[in-house]
Structures are given as C-alpha cells and as structure tokens.
Amino acid sequence: MAQNDWAVVIGIWAYPGFPPNLNGPKNDVGSFVQWLTSPKGGAVPTENVIKIISPSRRITDIFRAKPTTDLIDDEVRKLQDRARREGAFGRRLYLYFAGHGIALTQGRETAVFTANADRLAVGAHVIGEYIADWLAFGGGFQEVVLFMDCCRQAGVAVPAPHKLWGEVNDPGSDKVKRLYILAAKWSRLANERKMADGKVHGVFTTALLQGLQRDAQKDGQVTGESLGNWFRNSHIMEQIIKESQAVGDDANDGIDPDIAIEPDVLYSDPRIVLTTNDPVPGLPVTIHMPAGSGGMEAYITNSNNTEVVPRSVPPNPWQVSLPSGFFAAHLDGQKLQAIFQVAGGVPVEVPEQLWIPAL
Amino acid sequence: MPENAIPEKHEVKAQAAEEGQSASTGEPTGRVHLSIRAADSATEIFLINGEFSRVARGVGRLEAELKPGIYKIKSRAGSQTREEFISLPTGSAPVVKELPPFQFIAAVPLADTTKTHEYQMVAATSQCSKVRHQAGHGSWIYVFARDWTPPDQPRKASSAPLHPARGLTLRTLDDRVIADFGIDSESDLTADPWAASNVEVDPGIYVLSLEMRTEERLQQTVVACPGWQTQVFLLQQAYGDTLEDRRADIGRGSVLMSRDERFDPTRPDYRLAEMARLGLSNQRKVASDEIRQMLAEKIERPMLGIYAGHLLLLDENPPLDLLRHVVETLRGLIGAHPDVEALSLALDSRETTYVFAAPPMLRRSWSLVVKATATRPELVPLDSLASRSADRLSDADPWLQWLTMPDQPSTRKGRKKAAVATNHVEVALEEQLQVLQQQRDASPGPGGSGAAPRGVLGDIGASVLSAPEEKPVPSGVPADEDTVQKLTERLGVPRANVEAMLTKLARGPEAEESK
C-alpha cells in the first residue's frame, strides 16, 4: 500500500534575513525522513520522497538563499499536474514543514517563510494548510497528512497570503481523508531545544516521532485519530520541554505561556492508519500508598469501572503495568481512591497526595 | 470544518457512545448525569473519556448523560488550561462539578488574574477619574501602562526602572500629538512601575502611537465615544534585545469602556470582556449562553458587546438576528463607532453609510470592511488614513495595527525600510494578476482561450484611466469588475487601493520615473 505513498519534506533552517539560523529543522528533516522511509514507519519509497531543504553550504546573501517560494511551488505543482493527467495516482501524501513560521491573520492559516524572506520580503512564504488542501482536493491522493513544525504567532506584516493557485474550495465530500497537526495553537510559538541525543530538535517533531513510532498507538495501530487524541491528552510536549535544554538566546524554559505545550489538531481522520505494529506493552506505574493503608486490600479499575488489577494487599510503593487510559486505584478499607492517567510513553508516578475520598 | 471548530450548540448534551453495560458483570448500568459549571462563563470545557476521545464540549457550562466511569475535564481560559479527573460511580445520583476561576494573564489589572499587583489595581482605580490633560470635552481616553516581574525574578538592583509609557503618545488622525504619556502621566517607578493618564477629548477617533528605539512607530486606533471613557491597559514587551527596546505592549493591550470614569478590578463584566478579547486573540469560540443572553437582553459594556459580536461570527452559522440586535443596541449606546459599523457589514454590505476614513480598532473589523469595499469602494476613500495604512499592517490580533516610519528617518536602515514599505502589496498584486490570467486562459468561454486578448484593465481600466491624458492601455492581463473584486478580497486591501495600484501598473515604470 505504501508503494503509492508520496512525501514532500520541506526543512528550512538557513535564513540570512532572520538571523540567527535555526538548528532544529536540519536534524528533524533527517529524523522524519528516516521514519517516512522505514519499513516499520511510513514505508514510503525513497524515490517518492521529495526533499526541499536548505543547502549544506552557508549562504549569507539573501538573494541567493534557497529554497525559495518558486522552488516549492514548482514541486507541488508537478504533483498536481500529474493528478490532472492521471487522476488518483497516489494513496497518501505526507507534507512536512519545518522552519520559521507565522500566523496569517487574513485567512487564519499558517505559513513557513522561505529562505529568502526577511522583514522587507514577507511575501516569501508558503502556506501549509493551503498547499495541503489544494493537493487534497486535486484528486491525486486519497489521504493527505500535514505536519508543520513552526510558530503560529503574528508579528511581521504579511499583506497578501501567497496563494498562487487561487482559492481552494472544500467540495464538502468526505472522500479525502486528512490528518493535519500543527506544532502550536493559534498565537503560540513552536520551540526547538537540545534533546537527550545532544542535538537540537523541534519539540513538536520530537513528540511526533515518539507518537508515530510507539506511544500514540491504540490496539497496535497509530491512526489519525489515535495520534490526535494522544497529542491532546498526553502532555508529551510539556514533558519534552521539561527534559530538554533551551538553546541560544531562548531563555524560555516552557514557562512562557507563548511557548506551545500542545499542538493544534485540525483534522485527525480515524481512517488514516499510519502504522500497524505489535501492541505496546503496558507502561510502568508506581503508586505510593497512603499512610496507614498497610495490610489493606487494593485494586485498580479502568475508565469503564472494570477491574483490571484484582484485589490484593499491595506493597508500598505498588508497581503495576498498565496500558494507556484513565485508571482509579481503590482502597475500600479507607474509602479512598486515586485517579490517574497513563499516556505519553512516560512511566507514571502516583503520589500519595492523589488519594482522595471516594464518592 | 477543522476539529477545533465548536459545534453549533454551545451547550452540548452528550450521550454515551454505547448503551451502558458492564463488561465484567454483563449487567446493564444506568447513565449518570454530570453538570459542570465554570466560574467564568467564557471558559471552554471539554470532557474526555478513557479512550482519550472528546465526548462533550461546552462554554461556561456543560451537561452530559454518561456511562459510569472515569472522565477527564479539561478547561481553558485564554492561554491557560487545567485538567482534573472525575469518577462517576455506577448508580450515582446526578453529579455537579464547579470549576474555580482561572487566574489568566490580562493586561488589565483585574482581581484573580496573574501578572498583577494589589498596588497596581489600586493605582488604576484611583487615577481613572483624575483628568490629567484636557484636550477637548465630552469623552475620555485613559491609558494605564505597567510592568510586572514574577516574584521569583526580582529586578536587578543595577537597572533603573524604565517608564512603562515612554514613547507612547495619543495623536489626532493628522498625527498631531495630544498627550505624551511618557512625560505627562502620573507614575510610580519604585516597584514594578506603572504610569496613568486620563485625557479628556472631544468624541472621535484617535491614534495610540508607540515609538520604538528604531524610530518605527506602531499605531492603532482608539475611539472616544460621547459620554464614555475608553480605558487602555498595557503591560510591557521586549521589542528587541536591549533594555531600551522594552516598551508598552500595545498589541496585547486590554481595552474597556466605562460610562462614569471608574475602574473596578473586581467587576465580573470587566473580567468577561477580557476573556472575550482573549478568545478572539486565540481564535477560540467562547460565546457562551450567558454571553448570548447578555447580548440579547442588555449590553452595558460596549467593548464586551463588540468583542462578543465578533465571537458570534466565529459560529459556523452565525446568529444574524442576534448580531443585528447587537449592532442596533451598540449604535444606541455609543453612536457611530467604526467597529460597530464593521459588524453591520457582516449582516449586509449595504447596512451602513459610515465612511471608514480611519481604521477600526479590531483586525476582524478591518477584514469585514475590506471585504465590503469589493462592491462598495467608497467605504474606504483613497488617501484616507485607513487607505494609507492598509499596506503597512502588522499582523497583530485582535488589534489592528500599522507601522509608520518618520518622514525623514535618521538611519540608512530606516530610509531603506521606508522606500520599500509599499512594495509588498504591489508584488502580491502582480502575482495575483498572473494567477487570474492563467485561470482565465485555462477556462473555456468568453475571455478564455481562443478569445481575443483583452486590455490590461478591461472595463475598469477605461474609467480608472479617465485622466486628462489618454494613455494607451497595454495588452496582457485582464482586470475587469470580477477581477478587481477578487483582487480586493485576496490582497486584503481596500478596493480603492487596488484600483490605484492597477492604474500605476498600467502606466508602467517609465511613467512613474518621469514624475
């Protein structure tokens, strides 16, 4: 099935007009393409991956900086032209953008600046949702997946959104499946940080890959819906920010409310199945029992009030393994319960303070 | 429709996805009624089940019939969110959950918000009614600028406190300074500094202008209505890397209105107005039942009415009857106000005869105005301030702001900026003309491929170029009525500006150089 999948990966980190350069996109493009082409990941044929990225040599002249809008428009247009000639030639199209971004208040869309942009040339940008919709409704693909790792804050004046192909009208049909996730909600900033591997990565892309590879799976599959739900509930970006280091002049350690700690899930079609693997075993959960509970029976129920860990006299702390979801630990003897969430791929610690009187 | 679009009903009654049946016992279980009430009616509430799926959504309150089990309640106000779990046992009586107020971030020093000090609330209250400067009669503009430092980050002893209103002036539409808040204000620079100034003015439209260290000025409209005080509250922002670049954050300012020159930081309707403004800034649909009821019954705070009017337009099917009522009520309350008249354009582009010589206060108002000029170009006259600022807008939200350079910038960088400032839209215009030409050539029918090529300006060109000297109209790109309307909408500038640019394009660069 993935033999008919395609990808356009756009990573721009060298901006002579917006110094200093970014560091995350350079590393993130590599990581994302690795997942894209991996047999256990996207399994997209390498020859179907179109990479449009900053060149390896250093460019300081803004007039020579690439990639430009034209370059990206041309590649997108080739796909659309092929769709016009052949009809539906692909199953799924991935679109990945990483670079300096901006929220366009006029159309409420998100743009990534191309390499030749600066405060005087703000027309040098490409709009993620616009390109995705244009290709989604163009008939070439059944599924379109859009990921944008960039800021969504307004700032410089962009007088006219770059929409080379006119307006795109949603035909209203449910035929095309879409999964669009953006790194930040409206008016928030994306963030890049130094991660455990010693390299700088975008917080969103780091989280995205973690979700795609394992943690966003439900019953062995990562779908559009499971990925969207996982992002909304797992606090994964917040976790990544806490466990990583700020870089450069960025003094924000996740405290600034402008920094995005949750992405924006615009569409998350459950029919899009990104990966199918063996179900992930449960995550380790450590429950600290309340004072005076020694020798008492305890058990754990899930969100459907079904007992998933049978009654026993647990040690303190109590170590269990649970899948993603909501759970309640019960101590009938003290009429106490502790409700907690398992998600995000991170081991869970349930502190003693979480025990409260049961209803 | 994106998933973050709120369902049409702002109070959702959720049903369990399946009939309740215990997996372990196989016996049927009854549903549990859950009521969630937020302290602030503009708080978004989401209910999430153990599959991490959203099962219900509401604003201000939420009612749901649910299977027994564990759910997560996620609430949001402004940029802040909060989560907590709730367990609904089998056979439980209806459960009522009250959510405490959010301590959101606000530029206006309100009670129960973060980034404020008691002494700043007191100062904002006491200074509000003292007229500091008299520049007219019948209306007032009150500006309160302050800074705020987190308790765990005390200001360095070596740095002198900066005046929070420096570079901030109130001006007339023809750029005459009425008040310089950096000089003419009551202030206290000892702790986290504040500065306040209440200026009495004639009712009308004014410009709040912030001069940067780089000589650029960031400007926005402030409207003074007869018998009302317009209150502008500002925190600080770093516009650059140096301490000198720290100035009043007018892009995220709070604007309220008061009839009696009073400010009360504990008033619930001030809090609601601020949450509505934050909702607009964050593109959140927070027009709750309570807000709608207020709009239908009695609007006492005009800015809340204006914010709420725009929030109604975020609905998938905006309640136009309610919006019409809002517009009519606001007109009665504050008279002709550009943002109210802009809202009327959402009802019908012929709704108003108001001429927008000055920009409105809100970005969303401006979008409505520009869209309407496609068929009514007279709404924004060429060479008005609104027209002149249209190609220099900052993309701030929700306030409409524009940048100006001084006539004679003192720096080379400043002069270069001034020279190219108008090129963005012209470049975009040429690009869009190409697009429209390509689309026209690709489509069959009149004007499409096979038909005789039309002149650059088509029918519009003849009237636009009715100048004393008859210039030959170059052949190539058509620009008929349909094209001009499309260009107006796509470029986001008033139609008069589009026509002026088309005229300039038709004349060519040689004509421009010979001027």
Side-chain angles (χ1 to χ4, degrees):
Chain A
M1 289 279 263
Q3 288 303 310
N4 285 338
D5 288 355
W6 289 74
V8 178
V9 175
I10 299 165
I12 307 175
W13 54 88
Y15 286 96
F18 288 130
N21 289 337
L22 293 170
N23 292 295
K26 185 175 183 181
N27 299 318
D28 290 340
V29 161
S31 304
F32 186 70
V33 170
Q34 192 172 8
W35 176 85
L36 263 181
T37 53
S38 158
K40 290 204 164 188
V44 177
T46 310
E47 60 271 20
N48 288 3
V49 177
I50 302 160
K51 270 170 44 174
I52 308 171
I53 59 176
S54 293
S56 51
R57 69 187 187 289
R58 194 162 167 259
I59 302 280
T60 54
D61 183 350
I62 198 168
F63 297 101
R64 294 180 189 277
K66 286 184 170 36
T68 59
T69 312
D70 290 344
L71 232 126
I72 296 170
D73 287 344
D74 284 347
E75 291 298 335
V76 171
R77 208 157 162 185
K78 282 177 195 168
L79 290 171
Q80 192 67 333
D81 283 349
R82 184 171 172 183
R84 248 188 236 114
R85 291 194 310 271
E86 301 176 28
F89 69 92
R91 183 192 68 142
R92 181 182 301 154
L93 172 69
Y94 293 91
L95 293 165
Y96 174 86
F97 294 78
H100 274 311
I102 188 166
L104 303 178
T105 52
Q106 197 171 307
R108 308 281 145 187
E109 290 160 313
T110 314
V112 164
F113 284 118
T114 50
N116 55 331
D118 71 357
R119 284 182 67 94
L120 302 176
V122 292
H125 63 264
V126 285
I127 305 172
E129 300 98 314
Y130 174 70
I131 290 175
D133 280 351
W134 196 63
L135 290 166
F137 304 135
F141 300 94
Q142 300 160 34
E143 301 175 3
V144 173
V145 174
L146 169 69
F147 300 130
M148 295 187 77
D149 195 343
C150 65
C151 296
R152 286 179 90 199
Q153 205 172 60
V156 291
V158 177
H162 176 66
K163 292 189 172 181
L164 196 60
W165 308 293
E167 289 304 319
V168 176
N169 296 312
D170 184 345
S173 145
D174 215 19
K175 211 168 146 189
V176 179
K177 303 159 205 165
R178 288 182 285 178
L179 168 63
Y180 294 5
I181 305 181
L182 313 184
K185 291 199 186 292
W186 189 263
S187 80
R188 297 285 167 262
L189 300 169
N191 196 216
E192 59 176 29
R193 300 173 71 83
K194 189 187 245 185
M195 303 296 179
D197 64 359
K199 294 182 184 174
V200 176
H201 293 277
V203 170
F204 169 69
T205 300
T206 302
L208 173 67
L209 289 170
Q210 190 172 322
L212 289 171
Q213 285 159 355
R214 186 192 66 182
D215 292 336
Q217 63 91 34
K218 185 189 164 192
D219 301 327
Q221 288 189 328
V222 177
T223 66
E225 184 180 45
S226 75
L227 185 63
N229 285 343
W230 176 77
F231 261 126
R232 288 191 188 106
N233 290 281
S234 65
H235 303 285
I236 182 63
M237 286 173 59
E238 217 172 332
Q239 189 73 27
I240 289 169
I241 288 171
K242 280 182 192 159
E243 292 173 354
S244 57
Q245 297 171 37
V247 291
D249 295 331
D250 185 359
N252 297 312
D253 269 329
I255 301 170
D256 186 335
D258 280 357
I259 297 285
I261 55 171
E262 188 180 323
D264 204 353
V265 181
L266 300 185
Y267 300 100
S268 56
D269 199 308
R271 297 170 295 174
I272 295 179
V273 178
L274 293 156
T275 57
T276 301
N277 287 309
D278 292 332
V280 174
L283 282 162
V285 179
T286 303
I287 302 171
H288 296 272
M289 307 301 287
S293 64
M296 291 186 187
E297 275 193 339
Y299 61 98
I300 297 174
T301 55
N302 65 8
S303 57
N304 293 324
N305 284 351
T306 302
E307 205 170 281
V308 293
V309 175
R311 288 165 195 273
S312 67
V313 177
N316 189 10
W318 186 14
Q319 310 269 10
V320 294
S321 178
L322 294 168
S324 291
F326 303 154
F327 299 90
H330 302 267
L331 256 178
D332 286 348
Q334 288 188 326
K335 292 191 171 56
L336 294 174
Q337 69 179 16
I339 301 176
F340 55 94
Q341 168 182 295
V342 177
V346 177
V348 177
E349 196 97 8
V350 180
E352 193 179 327
Q353 302 92 293
L354 222 53
W355 289 91
I356 56 172
L359 277 180
Chain B
M1 179 174 72
E3 292 167 14
N4 54 11
I6 201 167
E8 192 54 30
K9 291 186 180 178
H10 35 274
E11 192 183 290
V12 178
K13 293 195 187 327
Q15 298 290 326
E18 306 153 2
E19 268 315 298
Q21 189 158 33
S22 167
S24 56
T25 67
E27 292 177 11
T29 58
R31 299 222 173 120
V32 180
H33 187 90
L34 174 64
S35 295
I36 304 174
R37 315 272 161 87
D40 295 305
S41 63
T43 301
E44 291 182 271
I45 305 169
F46 307 92
L47 197 63
I48 296 148
N49 68 12
E51 310 275 296
F52 297 138
S53 294
R54 193 165 62 205
V55 297
R57 186 174 185 168
V59 182
R61 57 187 292 169
L62 185 152
E63 306 282 339
E65 300 283 338
L66 300 161
K67 278 194 320 183
I70 303 171
Y71 296 86
K72 180 161 69 175
I73 302 170
K74 188 170 179 176
S75 51
R76 178 182 174 139
S79 61
Q80 310 208 303
T81 58
R82 197 163 53 207
E83 295 182 350
E84 56 189 289
F85 292 100
I86 189 161
S87 173
L88 304 179
T90 305
S92 167
V95 175
V96 178
K97 176 75 181 170
E98 306 273 355
L99 301 179
F102 266 92
Q103 298 246 340
F104 55 86
I105 296 169
V108 52
L110 295 173
D112 288 326
T113 59
T114 58
K115 291 199 176 183
T116 193
H117 298 294
E118 184 78 29
Y119 62 84
Q120 289 180 340
M121 285 196 270
V122 168
T125 306
S126 67
Q127 295 299 316
C128 191
S129 53
K130 298 176 185 174
V131 177
R132 179 88 187 174
H133 184 70
Q134 187 104 30
H137 299 279
S139 191
W140 299 264
I141 293 175
Y142 174 57
V143 173
F144 188 84
R146 63 195 179 92
D147 203 347
W148 183 84
T149 315
D152 57 346
Q153 291 176 32
R155 198 179 328 113
K156 291 176 189 169
S158 58
S159 63
L162 298 171
H163 195 290
R166 72 190 191 294
L168 192 65
T169 53
L170 185 69
R171 296 169 181 252
T172 59
L173 293 183
D174 56 2
D175 211 32
R176 182 173 54 82
V177 177
I178 296 173
D180 184 337
F181 298 116
I183 300 167
D184 191 12
S185 58
E186 186 69 28
S187 62
D188 182 347
L189 307 186
T190 52
D192 268 343
W194 58 263
S197 187
N198 182 21
V199 183
E200 185 165 1
V201 293
D202 292 332
I205 302 177
Y206 297 88
V207 175
L208 189 65
S209 179
L210 178 72
E211 182 162 328
M212 310 288 189
R213 185 175 60 87
T214 54
E215 296 185 298
E216 281 177 310
R217 273 196 277 141
L218 196 56
Q219 305 194 101
Q220 66 188 60
T221 301
V222 179
V223 181
C225 301
W228 289 85
Q229 180 187 55
T230 301
Q231 303 168 337
V232 181
F233 298 93
L234 306 167
L235 281 165
Q236 304 291 293
Q237 196 206 148
Y239 289 93
D241 297 328
T242 73
L243 208 55
E244 259 302 301
D245 293 312
R246 190 169 177 78
R247 309 236 163 170
D249 188 0
I250 66 172
R252 286 185 275 202
S254 304
V255 177
L256 301 168
M257 287 176 74
S258 167
R259 202 191 269 283
D260 51 9
E261 289 179 85
R262 288 177 63 185
F263 171 69
D264 180 353
T266 63
R267 276 194 71 113
D269 50 1
Y270 275 168
R271 188 178 169 86
L272 188 59
E274 187 59 6
M275 292 186 78
R277 182 189 71 81
L278 290 170
L280 281 180
S281 291
N282 292 299
Q283 281 224 102
R284 309 301 300 185
K285 301 182 182 185
V286 296
S288 62
D289 269 351
E290 183 180 323
I291 287 176
R292 289 166 201 257
Q293 196 170 353
M294 178 273 301
L295 293 176
E297 291 174 2
K298 190 173 185 184
I299 301 174
E300 290 185 329
R301 298 289 166 190
M303 284 311 300
L304 175 54
I306 291 170
Y307 297 144
H310 280 291
L311 287 173
L312 292 180
L313 290 174
L314 295 182
D315 283 3
E316 195 184 349
N317 295 305
L320 296 181
D321 286 345
L322 179 58
L323 183 62
R324 182 177 301 281
H325 172 77
V326 169
V327 167
E328 287 167 1
T329 304
L330 286 172
R331 279 172 175 162
L333 205 57
I334 56 176
H337 187 295
D339 290 87
V340 176
E341 299 307 316
L343 280 171
S344 77
L345 293 171
L347 298 164
D348 187 325
S349 64
R350 297 157 297 179
E351 247 318 289
T352 183
T353 55
Y354 186 87
V355 173
F356 295 84
M361 291 173 70
L362 291 167
R363 194 45 159 108
R364 290 169 191 270
S365 298
W366 180 242
S367 296
L368 293 171
V369 171
V370 166
K371 188 176 173 187
T373 65
T375 51
R376 292 188 58 199
E378 72 278 9
L379 287 172
V380 178
L382 195 63
D383 292 333
S384 62
L385 177 59
S387 169
R388 291 196 309 275
S389 58
D391 58 5
R392 285 175 280 145
L393 296 180
S394 160
D395 255 4
D397 209 11
W399 304 116
L400 182 69
Q401 296 183 326
W402 63 96
L403 286 162
T404 57
M405 289 294 297
D407 288 337
Q408 298 294 332
S410 61
T411 65
R412 183 164 164 269
K413 189 175 180 183
R415 287 191 287 277
K416 185 180 177 186
K417 271 190 182 175
V420 298
T422 58
N423 285 346
H424 303 166
V425 185
E426 289 176 359
V427 168
L429 171 77
E430 292 192 45
E431 190 177 84
Q432 287 300 315
L433 280 173
Q434 283 178 22
V435 169
L436 290 168
Q437 174 67 64
Q438 285 160 10
Q439 287 174 345
R440 197 175 292 244
D441 285 347
S443 63
S449 50
R454 302 179 66 176
V456 169
L457 298 177
D459 295 336
I460 292 295
S463 58
V464 168
L465 284 187
S466 57
E469 303 158 50
E470 284 286 327
K471 302 281 184 196
V473 177
S475 64
V477 183
D480 57 9
E481 175 66 20
D482 181 59
T483 299
V484 175
Q485 286 189 21
K486 280 195 173 115
L487 286 171
T488 301
E489 284 166 21
R490 288 185 190 184
L491 296 174
V493 295
R495 176 168 172 156
N497 291 44
V498 173
E499 290 177 345
M501 284 189 286
L502 287 171
T503 304
K504 183 180 171 184
L505 191 67
R507 283 184 180 146
E510 294 83 13
E512 288 303 305
E513 283 173 10
S514 67
K515 279 189 182 172

